[in-house]
Amino acid sequence: MEEQTPSQNNWLKKVWFSVRIPFLAIILALLVGAIILLVSGANPLEAYWQLFKGAFGSWRNIQRVLEKSTPLIFAGLAVALGFKAGLFNIGAQGQLLLGALMAGYVGFAVKGLPAYIHIPLALLAGLLTGAVFAAIPGLLRAYSGAHEVISTIMLNYVAINLSDYFSEGPWKDTTPGNIVSRLPAIQPSAEIPNIGPVPVGFIVAVLTSLLIWFVINRTTFGFEINSVGLNPHASKYAGMRTKLLIVAAMVVSGALAGVGGAVETMGVVGRFQPGFNTGLGFDGITVALLARNNPIAVILSSLFLGAMKGGANTMQFYANVPNQIIDIIQGTMLLFVTAEMVVRWVFKLRKQRDTEITVTSGWGQR
Amino acid sequence: MISKTVDKKRELSINWKLLRQVILGLVIVAAILFFNARSPEKTSAVLSSTLRYAVPLILGALCGIFCERAGIVNIGIEGQMLFSAFLSYMTNVWTGNLLLSLLVGMLTGAVLGLFLAFLSIKLKLNQTIGGTVINILATGITGYFYQTGLTTQGKLWNIPLGPLAKIPLIGPVLFNNPPITYIAILLVIFSQVLLFHTRWGLRTRAVGEHPRAADTLGVDVFKIRYWNVIIGGVMAGLAGSFLTLEGVGMFERGMTNGRGFIALAVMIFGKWNPISSALAALFFGFANAMQIQLQFMGIQIPHQFVGMIPYLLTIIVVSGFVGRSRAPAAEGIPYEKE
């Protein structure tokens, strides 16, 4: 027993080293949030308490947190996988949006299927749409050198315009009395059910995280993606087909984002409606960086963000604090988790080489 | 042999380029005159609307140009605009002093520029992330502090430039505008001269292309980068002030509505060149104005498809299908002194 203590200590130390920066970033962000609450005349303790109660106060609330976390997990995985391959997929937002749109279309337009066929079919529609839409920047990056940050930002707006067009035009909900531009409600057979308070979508998301972890850490494809992300030139020299890998990574990333949108449509909103999933792709960036691109940790950071989103309304109602404080906390968190230097400086931590992550290169380089 | 044919080709292509530009210019002028003869009010309405839509894009693109020419990627233009729009609006609500509001807007942009520069130069934070942080924070903070039901005493009004404003067609469109529009037009010329005909501009471009070489020659890379990002911030701040003081006259949550990103598209479309970018912004503004006119005439092109044009064009341009658009070489890479 005595001999095991040091190794146990080491193990604890290792875990602490890998989580300390995100953990301290969260603490700092909550502090910044508290200061802003104080400045605006609100009571931060009261606000955070209501936020917490709103997130975990009842089984219904916990279910809502799980619902909110589900698309975040998929978006986070999409961005994290991109980062692994050295790609910054800001376009997760657009891929997610079109995935949600197509799942909404298949959800309402295809009738008379049993749920066990309809649900996978609609999910598949979201997956394929996301994959195809992400293939465009992937191909452009690989074969024309157009940087994916630029092309995916532009494609996000193309996606917004496309989904607006379909929900205002050809696929508009024409039930009498509806003046909002949105798609009709999906068939009951396309609705993702819950098991107790746990949405089935959440279970699928967790399983997907495990799958992505396995792919990244235990398969050749994962190894090659990692390698391309760390050093594209060396990978090419080692005989990997780097261009194909870039496209493949983008496609898988887009597929994940597309499923995230589909799950949101089929499990939470019940139809596609523009504006309901705004920002989820950008949340994916925060989720991925908070999780340091680790697929398992993506689940945890999604739950954290999901809890804030789930509790926000209760906080707004009972503590009279505008919802937007969540955005402020999230932005600060993103800042602190990427600007490790600030965190280290505040807490006087020493530098650890393996905690650094490369995110993406500038678009000047080829 | 080979070199000769290449030379010939190059000579020919230069002539073609000039010819193309001259013909394009003449066609545009002829079209404007033709439509002006048929219905003067409609023509000047379309042209004015084009300019109004283009001004924030021009200013946003100038922000991008200054940052990126010095080697700093700025995707936080959207956030800078939103923040400045909010603070200049609030200043207008509190003091009713339009000049002060304008200055506050510019200062806000500059401070956010300094913030981005600090993140990317001092902390060597990934610049794309830095911009994203600014965007998220701007949405959050302005949304948090914004209250509905505020009123202002007024907004910036047109200043006709004496007899110039009386010239038919050109007068009302170009010489009868509110102040920020004039400032934007002057800033395009100012930026073009500054970047391509002064020592400061040469140094800026050198720092953006090859900071190590510039450093070797005694240029202070960090100083150049800081100041250019701050100057860019002032431009983005002006764009934000334009929205609340001149364009809309009030603030709404998320009112920039992607203009910062279209500005990025404009910058790339204009190949990181102030005058070309201004022309690109006018082109996007014109597409928008035409779509509104077509809707009045009962021709329904879904506005979403017109809305896609700037983004699709940008993708086509960065992909090199139509002409090559090359970013400054050292963009996005933190510089480390040896």
Side-chain angles (χ1 to χ4, degrees):
Chain A
M1 284 304 275
E2 298 281 342
E3 286 159 15
Q4 269 187 354
T5 327
S7 78
Q8 220 168 13
N9 246 341
N10 273 341
W11 182 79
L12 271 176
K13 221 174 180 176
K14 218 177 149 190
V15 170
W16 167 241
F17 269 134
S18 57
V19 302
R20 62 177 191 177
I21 298 283
F23 181 73
L24 296 174
I26 289 174
I27 302 280
L28 277 179
L30 289 175
L31 278 176
V32 170
I35 291 170
I36 289 178
L37 286 169
L38 265 181
V39 169
S40 62
N43 178 353
L45 287 178
E46 171 69 8
Y48 285 158
W49 173 238
Q50 292 297 346
L51 186 67
F52 182 78
K53 261 192 14 195
F56 305 108
S58 72
W59 282 112
R60 176 72 198 94
N61 294 6
I62 291 176
Q63 182 188 330
R64 194 169 53 222
V65 169
L66 295 180
E67 279 172 358
K68 298 258 180 203
S69 314
T70 308
L72 292 179
I73 295 180
F74 283 109
L77 287 175
V79 178
L81 192 93
F83 279 147
K84 285 275 178 195
L87 299 163
F88 191 177
N89 185 7
I90 292 192
Q93 178 66 43
Q95 294 139 21
L96 192 144
L97 195 64
L98 290 188
L101 174 75
M102 282 310 285
Y105 176 70
V106 172
F108 87 80
V110 181
K111 294 183 177 78
L113 289 180
Y116 58 85
I117 298 179
H118 202 175
I119 293 175
L121 190 71
L123 281 177
L124 190 70
L127 182 142
L128 287 178
T129 315
V132 169
F133 201 57
I136 303 167
L139 286 167
L140 290 178
R141 168 71 193 253
Y143 294 101
S144 84
H147 200 282
E148 80 281 355
V149 168
I150 292 285
S151 52
T152 55
I153 286 177
M154 300 305 147
L155 284 171
N156 278 344
Y157 283 92
V158 173
I160 291 173
N161 277 308
L162 271 179
S163 63
D164 279 356
Y165 168 71
F166 279 110
S167 36
E168 221 178 277
W171 296 349
K172 188 176 174 173
D173 180 10
T174 50
T175 33
N178 173 48
I179 47 159
V180 191
S181 62
R182 64 181 190 193
L183 265 59
I186 55 172
Q187 309 286 329
S189 56
E191 280 170 16
I192 300 179
N194 293 338
I195 302 175
V198 184
V200 171
F202 181 76
I203 301 172
V204 177
V206 171
L207 292 177
T208 312
S209 304
L210 296 175
L211 178 72
I212 296 294
W213 179 88
F214 182 81
V215 168
I216 288 178
N217 293 298
R218 294 285 183 273
T219 64
T220 320
F221 177 64
F223 174 79
E224 291 190 336
I225 278 190
N226 257 321
S227 156
V228 167
L230 289 171
N231 193 339
H233 302 294
S235 312
K236 194 171 183 187
Y237 190 69
M240 293 175 199
R241 298 157 80 180
T242 50
K243 291 188 173 183
L244 208 64
L245 279 169
I246 283 174
V247 180
M250 244 356 239
V251 166
V252 177
S253 173
L256 286 166
V259 175
V263 166
E264 172 87 353
T265 295
M266 297 156 62
V268 186
V269 188
R271 59 152 46 93
F272 178 80
Q273 185 162 348
F276 265 61
N277 27 38
T278 317
L280 280 176
F282 293 109
D283 295 338
I285 301 171
T286 315
V287 167
L289 288 171
L290 210 56
R292 332 217 87 222
N293 297 337
N294 179 326
I296 308 293
V298 160
I299 303 172
L300 296 177
S301 58
S302 299
L303 279 171
F304 179 73
L305 236 65
M308 289 211 302
K309 284 172 181 290
N313 282 337
T314 309
M315 178 188 67
Q316 179 157 26
F317 191 74
Y318 288 104
N320 205 12
V321 168
N323 259 338
Q324 280 79 10
I325 191 73
I326 303 296
D327 287 333
I328 302 180
I329 294 174
Q330 195 189 326
T332 326
M333 222 153 59
L334 183 63
L335 172 65
F336 285 135
V337 84
T338 42
E340 282 183 20
M341 219 164 139
V342 187
V343 178
R344 264 198 226 101
W345 175 71
V346 171
F347 290 99
K348 306 271 179 286
L349 300 176
R350 251 179 295 135
K351 192 165 179 159
Q352 261 252 315
R353 185 167 294 175
D354 57 46
T355 60
E356 272 184 83
I357 41 169
T358 9
V359 178
T360 177
S361 59
W363 47 76
Q365 302 133 304
R366 289 285 137 73
Chain B
M1 264 303 275
I2 291 167
S3 71
K4 213 173 179 183
T5 49
V6 167
D7 276 344
K8 224 179 187 175
K9 246 187 194 166
R10 185 167 292 165
E11 235 168 66
L12 231 96
S13 76
I14 289 172
N15 286 339
W16 274 114
K17 205 175 154 193
L18 229 163
L19 199 65
R20 218 163 52 198
Q21 281 172 354
V22 170
I23 290 175
L24 193 67
L26 285 176
V27 166
I28 290 173
V29 170
I32 291 174
L33 287 177
F34 173 71
F35 284 112
N36 190 43
R38 289 190 57 174
S39 67
E41 304 90 35
K42 226 174 235 171
T43 311
S44 74
V46 165
L47 292 182
S48 299
S49 150
T50 300
L51 188 61
R52 238 190 345 266
Y53 185 86
V55 167
L57 301 184
I58 292 174
L59 289 167
L62 286 180
C63 169
I65 291 171
F66 274 101
C67 297
E68 303 215 346
R69 281 286 181 179
I72 303 285
V73 169
N74 184 358
I75 66 162
I77 301 174
E78 174 89 1
Q80 288 178 300
M81 276 161 107
L82 187 62
F83 226 123
S84 309
F86 176 67
L87 282 186
S88 60
Y89 174 70
M90 290 313 281
T91 316
N92 193 12
V93 169
W94 287 326
T95 67
N97 186 334
L98 287 166
L99 184 67
L100 187 68
S101 312
L102 183 61
L103 289 177
V104 166
M106 289 160 74
L107 187 71
T108 310
V111 169
L112 287 174
L114 177 66
F115 179 60
L116 177 72
F118 173 75
L119 292 180
S120 36
I121 298 167
K122 185 78 185 170
L123 298 186
K124 300 191 175 67
L125 178 69
N126 178 283
Q127 293 165 12
T128 317
I129 303 272
T132 308
V133 166
I134 290 182
N135 288 337
I136 294 180
L137 283 181
T139 317
I141 295 178
T142 57
Y144 180 80
F145 284 104
Y146 173 66
Q147 302 143 330
T148 44
L150 299 173
T151 50
T152 59
Q153 271 118 22
K155 57 179 204 170
L156 293 167
W157 293 110
N158 291 9
I159 306 172
L161 291 186
L164 284 176
K166 297 213 172 63
I167 307 172
L169 184 61
I170 306 172
V173 173
L174 279 183
F175 301 115
N176 186 10
N177 283 308
I180 301 179
T181 306
Y182 293 130
I183 297 176
I185 296 170
L186 290 179
L187 277 177
V188 171
I189 301 161
F190 167 79
S191 309
Q192 186 80 18
V193 172
L194 185 69
L195 275 175
F196 296 101
H197 301 283
T198 65
R199 186 186 292 188
W200 175 267
L202 182 64
R203 289 182 175 175
T204 300
R205 285 179 293 133
V207 163
E209 294 288 344
H210 202 315
R212 175 82 63 226
D215 193 10
T216 314
L217 293 172
V219 176
D220 188 341
V221 176
F222 298 133
K223 190 180 117 190
I224 297 265
R225 287 194 167 172
Y226 265 108
W227 277 112
N228 275 298
V229 178
I230 292 170
I231 293 172
V234 173
M235 313 270 176
L238 271 171
S241 303
F242 173 88
L243 294 178
T244 43
L245 299 182
E246 210 173 287
V248 190
M250 57 176 294
F251 184 83
E252 291 155 41
R253 285 201 172 101
M255 71 180 300
T256 40
N257 201 12
R259 282 189 185 81
F261 291 113
I262 306 185
L264 213 58
V266 163
M267 171 195 76
I268 299 167
F269 200 58
K271 303 190 175 180
W272 288 266
N273 177 310
I275 289 179
S276 311
S277 298
L279 293 177
L282 287 172
F283 173 71
F284 292 163
F286 179 68
N288 192 56
M290 275 319 286
Q291 167 241 328
I292 296 167
Q293 278 301 318
L294 287 177
Q295 256 168 14
F296 278 137
M297 284 155 60
I299 301 169
Q300 294 288 336
I301 300 175
H303 66 91
Q304 292 93 350
F305 288 105
V306 180
M308 274 182 226
I309 294 175
Y311 307 111
L312 290 175
L313 278 178
T314 306
I315 293 172
I316 292 170
V317 167
V318 290
S319 316
F321 292 134
V322 182
R324 240 287 174 236
S325 189
R326 197 188 65 83
E331 196 173 58
I333 315 155
Y335 180 66
E336 309 210 26
K337 247 180 143 61
E338 270 178 347

